[in-house]
Amino acid sequence: MKHAGGSPYPLDSYYTATAPLPEERPALTGALDVDVAIIGGGYTGLSAALHLAKAGKTVVVLEANRVGWGASGRNGGQIHSGQRQEPEWFEARYNRAMSQRFFKMGEDAKQLVHSLIQHYKIDCDLKPGVIQAVHKQRYVTDFQDQVALLNDHYDHPVSWLDQEETANRLGTNAYFGAIFDPTAGHLHPLKFALGLAEAALSEGAAIYENTPVQEISDWNNPTLTTPGGTVRADKVLVCGNGYVGGLIPKVDARVMPINNFIAATRPLTEAENPLPGDECASDSRFVVNYWRMSADKRLLFGGGENYSSKFPKNIEAFVRKPLLEIYPQFKDVEIEYAWGGTLAVTVHRVPFIQKLNDHVFAAAGFSGQGVTLAPMAGQILAEAALGQPERLKLYADLPLPPFPGGSLLRSTTLALAMGWYALRDRI
Ligand SMILES: Cc1cc2nc3c(=O)[nH]c(=O)nc-3n(C[C@H](O)[C@H](O)[C@H](O)COP(=O)(O)OP(=O)(O)OC[C@H]3O[C@@H](n4cnc5c(N)ncnc54)[C@H](O)[C@@H]3O)c2cc1C
């Protein structure tokens, strides 16, 4: 059986240690007949469930492990603006109006995160401010141009921080300047996911944990098979992102799982805290570093990724390496948690949000921006299942090539390509 499921929350994660973990919800037994069945209980699936239940549909979420067990409960918690792909890319490939439309959808996605937190009173340590730091002098002009572009044409109030101001705000001399985005921010990702699950339940959705979907049979009248039962549904939403491999070849060929890693130090003293403004930060490296302070003043630092089915044996040592390049003063600081998770990327970093036939829809490949984009993707899938596919079509109409080598060779080709880009970061 490919999806054995049933894994508990990762014990080495700071998030598991600090979130109010609910009792396990029962696994599915018997046969159900519903309007919509959702595969995966992360931000995408839970948001879809919430919106559909609110619209009066009978909805079940089938989660192989626990809700928020995947990337949604393990990530860096950074809420970014716009799309993962830069406006310059959309402008060059399409035109400014198209680029503005996608940017606006990203802004709507950010607004959705805020309104879900507010409406359902989700306590998840939400804080404002993202600083995106530039690690090469030769990138500075491009980033300054982006500040001007966003202010002048996207109504987006970001500002440029010079080298000195960047050093003051980030507590390191490693950068040549930065973009400050006061409208973006950060949160405790597992608390947010658990809050979304409660919200979906409160709207009438049902959630089954430890319930891996092993097969979707007859796509024109879909039935999902799980170890203990079956679900027949008019619509099926596939929301398994980096963990769903093996279920749908079209998704596998276009969405590539990548592992990424985070370490949490012991709580730092006021004098040690490198981020006096409590913003979160990320940098311009291809294999991005990202960091922020937790509510209890630990440095949560994400850095390093791999493309295999296995995590490094010593994640703490793996992450400490990039951490020390930015903060050498933390050479001996205790790291109390170190964990990894699997996200998913597409070739051009624009999410895969598509109708696969009249009954089956999928969203995945948020390429490192799923804290903002995945809840909206769930909402877009819900709209499509309700017969309003306009926003889905905007994404689905962008050509999305498969990874070279298809799902069999994609990790080898990607590892080679990623290695090359990571090397370019260093020269
Ligand atoms: C270490 C790390 C750091 C990150 N940092 C950031 C960040 O700072 N900002 C940001 O925007 N994004 C970040 N991301 C990405 C972000 O976490 C994801 O894009 C987002 O959580 C995707 O949500 P999802 O619901 O689509 O997928 P997931 O949260 O991965 O949920 C998918 C769920 O589907 C379940 N599933 C899979 N297959 C099946 C099946 N067959 N049957 C039943 N269930 C199944 C899995 O068990 C899983 O729980 C990061 C990711 C990682 C791993």
Side-chain angles (χ1 to χ4, degrees):
M1 185 199 311
K2 188 165 176 58
H3 292 286
S7 299
Y9 293 109
L11 287 176
D12 45 6
S13 152
Y14 163 77
Y15 300 133
T16 303
T18 52
L21 301 178
E23 291 290 304
E24 267 186 27
R25 299 182 179 93
L28 177 70
T29 53
L32 292 181
D33 196 322
V34 295
D35 294 326
V36 187
I38 295 173
I39 302 173
Y43 300 146
T44 309
L46 295 168
S47 165
L50 183 160
H51 287 98
L52 284 160
K54 209 169 161 184
K57 297 291 173 188
T58 51
V59 189
V60 291
V61 176
L62 306 170
E63 165 52 53
N65 302 289
R66 309 286 315 273
V67 292
W69 174 91
S72 298
R74 303 167 186 240
N75 63 66
Q78 303 210 353
I79 306 165
H80 287 271
S81 298
Q83 299 287 333
R84 172 71 176 81
Q85 187 51 271
E86 309 292 348
E88 292 89 331
W89 180 90
F90 280 98
E91 290 196 5
R93 189 167 279 219
Y94 301 101
N95 53 51
R96 178 159 292 162
M98 174 91 151
S99 179
Q100 287 168 330
R101 200 162 180 192
F102 273 89
F103 192 85
K104 166 82 169 57
M105 274 202 289
E107 291 301 281
D108 291 346
K110 195 170 63 186
Q111 183 51 40
L112 176 66
V113 170
H114 284 271
S115 62
L116 288 168
I117 290 171
Q118 209 172 20
H119 183 79
Y120 294 102
K121 302 187 172 39
I122 301 176
D123 177 7
C124 58
D125 310 337
L126 179 65
K127 300 262 173 63
V130 170
I131 294 175
Q132 196 195 356
V134 181
H135 81 290
K136 292 268 178 215
Q137 177 69 59
R138 67 175 188 268
Y139 295 168
V140 164
T141 312
D142 284 351
F143 277 75
Q144 288 173 327
D145 289 348
Q146 189 174 89
V147 169
L149 181 75
L150 289 172
N151 276 286
D152 294 350
H153 297 286
Y154 291 77
D155 196 21
H156 193 62
V158 287
S159 55
W160 175 251
L161 308 180
D162 65 19
Q163 193 163 10
E164 194 185 335
E165 178 69 5
T166 301
N168 291 339
R169 302 274 278 264
L170 298 183
T172 169
N173 291 320
Y175 296 103
F176 293 89
I179 296 180
F180 173 54
D181 185 344
T183 73
H186 55 106
L187 49 65
H188 185 306
L190 181 55
K191 288 185 182 175
F192 180 48
L194 296 175
L196 284 182
E198 288 304 323
L201 289 168
S202 76
E203 296 291 356
I207 297 177
Y208 293 93
E209 293 187 315
N210 304 317
T211 301
V213 173
Q214 297 157 305
E215 193 187 355
I216 308 174
S217 57
D218 187 357
W219 279 34
N220 292 315
N221 182 22
T223 297
L224 309 185
T225 309
T226 76
T230 57
V231 181
R232 206 219 60 81
D234 183 42
K235 303 278 192 273
V236 173
L237 309 184
V238 182
C239 305
N241 203 41
Y243 294 95
V244 79
L247 209 55
I248 300 186
K250 184 173 178 186
V251 178
D252 287 354
R254 286 166 180 77
V255 174
M256 162 88 190
I258 284 186
N259 304 318
N260 197 281
F261 305 97
I262 305 184
T265 67
R266 62 158 165 77
L268 300 180
T269 63
E270 197 65 35
E272 290 171 320
N273 179 352
L275 296 171
D278 216 1
E279 299 95 350
C280 67
S282 60
D283 70 17
S284 51
R285 285 182 171 78
F286 185 76
V287 178
V288 63
N289 294 314
Y290 52 95
W291 63 100
R292 66 193 180 94
M293 299 302 288
S294 65
D296 64 355
K297 303 292 175 215
R298 297 165 191 275
L299 176 64
L300 304 185
F301 190 95
E305 57 190 31
N306 76 13
Y307 318 107
S308 81
S309 57
K310 292 202 180 78
F311 287 179
K313 278 211 178 74
N314 186 341
I315 297 179
E316 177 186 328
F318 191 79
V319 180
R320 201 186 278 268
K321 207 166 158 243
L323 191 162
L324 293 186
E325 284 175 22
I326 316 299
Y327 294 115
Q329 68 268 37
F330 293 135
K331 186 166 160 293
D332 296 319
V333 80
E334 295 84 350
I335 287 180
E336 295 190 344
Y337 304 92
W339 67 98
T342 305
L343 63 146
V345 300
T346 62
V347 163
H348 56 31
R349 306 292 183 266
V350 181
F352 176 102
I353 304 180
Q354 292 199 13
K355 167 177 161 174
L356 302 174
N357 81 346
D358 284 345
H359 300 272
V360 184
F361 302 75
F366 307 105
S367 305
Q369 201 156 314
V371 176
T372 327
L373 297 178
M376 177 186 69
Q379 187 186 38
I380 291 177
L381 292 185
E383 289 165 5
L386 292 167
Q388 299 143 20
E390 292 75 20
R391 289 204 295 170
L392 177 137
K393 268 181 71 48
L394 280 174
Y395 278 101
D397 286 351
L398 295 183
L400 176 45
F403 280 95
S407 51
L408 278 181
L409 286 178
R410 65 190 169 159
S411 51
T412 314
T413 31
L414 189 84
L416 289 170
M418 295 295 200
W420 160 244
Y421 284 115
L423 183 71
R424 279 202 334 181
D425 270 352
R426 298 202 181 91
I427 50 184

